[in-house]
Amino acid sequence: MKTKPDLSFWKLWNLSFGFFGVQIAYALQSANVSRIFTTIGADPHDLSYFWILPPLMGLLVQPIVGMMSDRTWNRFGRRLPYLIFGALIAVIVMCMLPNAGSFQFTVSSAILFGLVALMLLDTSINMAMQPFKMLVGDMVNEKQKGLAYSIQSFLCNAGSIVGYMAWNAERCSRRRCARHRDLVILPWCRHTTYMRDILARQSKRMAPESL
């Protein structure tokens, strides 16, 4: 059996760097999806039912993608087709989901659209994440696996921090969003700013008239 060569630190880093982006997407999802559904008309007491979809998709998608990528052999490699496809779908859905209430749907249609988008988002994130886990097993020898998984764990947590803090859409202002029009994160910023305006107008309408 051929022994896998030792890899440099930066090659080990590059093998797991995709986890950084995956965890940013997860953080954005968990930080903003409840607010998105509330804005388009979902009952806040029913949000826990919507959150069944992400773990359900992970339960179904990760084993299937792992098994399929093990059996995939083509000129693009074993894992790369799943990484690229999952990443592209995640980018598209992250641009559409925050705008679920902007497509002139009825409330029920907007909620249904949001549910489908949430399901696709978590499916695509899991599709991109699972092959990254397997790259360490594919390319790293036994001596370096401890270091490789440590780097992977660091990047996972660093991505979560960035997703929750540095790019937290709740803290984006209109001016800050205008300076970053080329970023995929923009729809999340724009959505939550637009959403605050809607909630403010609703509060004014619901306030009792002054005597």
Side-chain angles (χ1 to χ4, degrees):
M1 184 176 179
K2 187 176 180 180
T3 303
K4 298 171 185 174
D6 288 348
L7 301 177
S8 68
F9 174 84
W10 291 113
K11 286 184 178 180
L12 295 174
W13 176 276
N14 291 336
L15 279 179
S16 296
F17 189 73
F19 267 103
F20 184 76
V22 168
Q23 291 303 123
I24 290 176
Y26 269 131
L28 288 171
Q29 174 185 277
S30 56
N32 294 285
V33 164
S34 293
R35 189 80 179 271
I36 291 172
F37 277 107
T38 303
T39 304
I40 62 180
D43 187 337
H45 298 91
D46 295 333
L47 293 178
S48 59
Y49 296 111
F50 301 156
W51 280 105
I52 294 174
L53 284 175
L56 179 61
M57 289 300 102
L59 181 68
L60 296 175
V61 173
Q62 289 201 29
I64 293 173
V65 171
M67 180 184 66
M68 291 176 63
S69 64
D70 282 340
R71 300 178 180 179
T72 298
W73 292 97
N74 55 45
R75 60 178 180 168
F76 300 108
R78 300 173 68 186
R79 317 297 182 188
L80 189 59
Y82 299 93
L83 294 175
I84 294 175
F85 184 74
L88 287 175
I89 297 299
V91 169
I92 293 170
V93 176
M94 287 185 71
C95 290
M96 296 180 68
L97 178 57
N99 297 292
S102 305
F103 296 128
Q104 306 301 319
F105 292 147
T106 62
V107 172
S108 57
S109 298
I111 293 174
L112 181 60
F113 175 84
L115 286 172
V116 173
L118 177 60
M119 181 180 67
L120 287 175
L121 177 59
D122 211 82
T123 298
S124 59
I125 292 174
N126 278 286
M127 186 177 294
M129 181 178 70
Q130 187 62 19
F132 272 118
K133 290 181 178 179
M134 296 180 167
L135 282 175
V136 172
D138 289 346
M139 302 183 67
V140 179
N141 59 37
E142 292 297 325
K143 183 176 69 175
Q144 289 189 303
K145 277 187 179 178
L147 175 60
Y149 285 122
S150 297
I151 293 171
Q152 194 175 94
S153 179
F154 170 82
L155 289 170
C156 284
N157 289 287
S160 294
I161 291 172
V162 171
Y164 281 120
M165 295 182 62
W167 294 107
N168 192 333
E170 189 66 24
R171 295 183 177 272
C172 283
S173 64
R174 292 183 187 275
R175 184 177 300 176
R176 187 181 302 174
C177 288
R179 292 202 301 266
H180 299 284
R181 295 183 184 279
D182 58 328
L183 296 177
V184 173
I185 199 63
L186 174 61
W188 296 80
C189 305
R190 182 178 296 159
H191 169 80
T192 49
T193 307
Y194 170 69
M195 179 173 56
R196 286 197 298 270
D197 294 342
I198 292 177
L199 294 177
R201 289 196 295 268
Q202 288 177 345
S203 298
K204 290 180 180 179
R205 287 199 299 267
M206 295 174 64
E209 295 182 359
S210 58
L211 296 178

